[in-house]
Amino acid sequence: MPHARETAVYTHGHHESVLRSHTWRTAENSAAYLLGALKPHMRILDIGCGPGTITADLAALVPDGHVTGLDREPGILERARAVAGERGLTNADFVTGDVHALDFPDDTFCVVHAHQVLQHVGDPVAALREMRRVTRPGGYVAVRDADYAAMTWYPGSSGLDDWLDLYRRVARANGGEPDAGRRLKAWALEAGFTDVTTTTGTWTYSTAEERAWWSGLWADRTVASAYAGRAVDGGHATRAELEAVATAWRQWGAREDGWFAVLHGEVLCRENA
């Protein structure tokens, strides 16, 4: 039977405002739940690697092993290769691919990792089955996804309420599931895993620098990224409505008492030995 192919559209695209967020990510702030399971010799597949900052961190943590970063977009892989090169890493490579149909034999990797990927794919259970297929017995599939409905902030803002409602509608219209974090365990069980450890992780933005960075990237993303185009072209918002949401983000970011928390679901799935 042929594998399912990607059917969802990546909501964010690769605008600078998106990469501003992606290049901030590290293994420590985005994959801490996995790090205790890593051994120096491991072979790792990092799915949806984007600009490769997490990939490079993983490669440094397995000096006797190897990490393959995989992404659908060949252009972003040039950025990832440059990151690995700047760090002097020789145990990382980068390839294009589709998580629904991975071009690797069964039992290839000790760890298959995906950060903020399953919320954007058309069939997350099929993706997890593929990830499981290429994982060696005794190995791990590690997945972490945000849960947009669980994001919370202070002070209240009708503009940020509009942002959350709009984002969830656009993401679902694109074939994704923005509230993926709470679903990871259910998806993992449906994919056939029986040894599933569930945890949660958070990002918190509260200092002046953190507020400026987080609000600025979302304000810019709302009006200038692929997400903005999809919101308008899909009939979900007008340009004026997007500008109002961007203004709300900047107003929140300027509040000294501003606080924003992002909740992530995490699953560490052990493949039966």
Side-chain angles (χ1 to χ4, degrees):
M1 185 175 69
H3 292 297
R5 289 284 176 174
E6 179 61 78
T7 56
V9 175
Y10 180 47
T11 295
H12 298 289
H14 291 92
H15 184 263
E16 182 277 330
S17 60
V18 179
L19 295 182
R20 203 183 312 164
S21 171
H22 291 184
T23 55
W24 166 83
R25 298 173 183 174
T26 65
E28 183 177 359
N29 68 30
S30 300
Y33 71 104
L34 167 63
L35 302 188
L38 298 184
K39 306 297 182 187
H41 68 277
M42 283 181 161
R43 185 175 181 186
I44 300 174
L45 176 63
D46 186 23
I47 294 174
C49 67
T53 51
I54 297 175
T55 320
D57 283 352
L58 294 175
L61 291 168
V62 291
D64 302 322
H66 189 88
V67 181
T68 296
L70 180 145
D71 204 279
R72 290 186 347 175
E73 298 297 327
I76 198 64
L77 293 181
E78 291 306 311
R79 180 86 169 257
R81 291 184 183 103
V83 168
E86 289 163 5
R87 299 192 192 183
L89 297 166
T90 58
N91 63 331
D93 70 319
F94 298 90
V95 298
T96 56
D98 175 7
V99 67
H100 293 94
L102 296 170
D103 191 21
F104 302 102
D106 295 359
D107 306 337
T108 298
F109 298 97
C110 307
V111 175
V112 178
H113 169 261
H115 184 263
Q116 313 296 357
V117 171
L118 292 190
Q119 64 185 279
H120 297 296
V121 306
D123 191 338
V125 174
L128 280 163
R129 288 184 180 129
E130 267 295 88
M131 295 166 74
R132 182 184 178 201
R133 179 185 66 78
V134 302
T135 302
R136 296 172 181 170
Y140 297 90
V141 170
V143 177
R144 186 180 199 243
D145 270 276
D147 193 299
Y148 275 76
M151 294 184 187
T152 190
W153 57 84
Y154 184 87
S157 164
S158 60
L160 292 193
D161 290 342
D162 291 342
W163 160 75
L164 182 57
D165 173 68
L166 174 63
Y167 179 83
R168 292 170 78 211
R169 286 189 283 115
V170 172
R172 289 193 171 118
N174 287 339
E177 176 44 70
D179 304 340
R182 68 189 65 192
R183 293 170 164 82
L184 295 183
K185 180 183 179 183
W187 288 342
L189 293 174
E190 190 175 346
F193 289 102
T194 57
D195 184 348
V196 181
T197 300
T198 62
T199 51
T200 55
T202 58
W203 293 333
T204 305
Y205 306 104
S206 180
T207 68
E209 180 180 19
E210 291 165 348
R211 294 193 317 273
W213 181 78
W214 185 242
S215 64
L217 70 86
W218 267 110
D220 292 346
R221 192 181 300 190
T222 298
V223 296
S225 70
Y227 161 69
R230 288 166 183 142
V232 173
D233 294 344
H236 305 289
T238 65
R239 287 287 175 185
E241 288 168 335
L242 294 182
E243 291 288 353
V245 168
T247 297
W249 268 113
R250 293 193 175 94
Q251 290 173 339
W252 172 84
R255 290 285 301 248
E256 185 178 0
D257 58 353
W259 177 92
F260 198 106
V262 178
L263 179 73
H264 304 85
E266 302 163 342
V267 291
L268 189 62
C269 308
R270 187 81 183 267
E271 179 60 357
N272 294 330

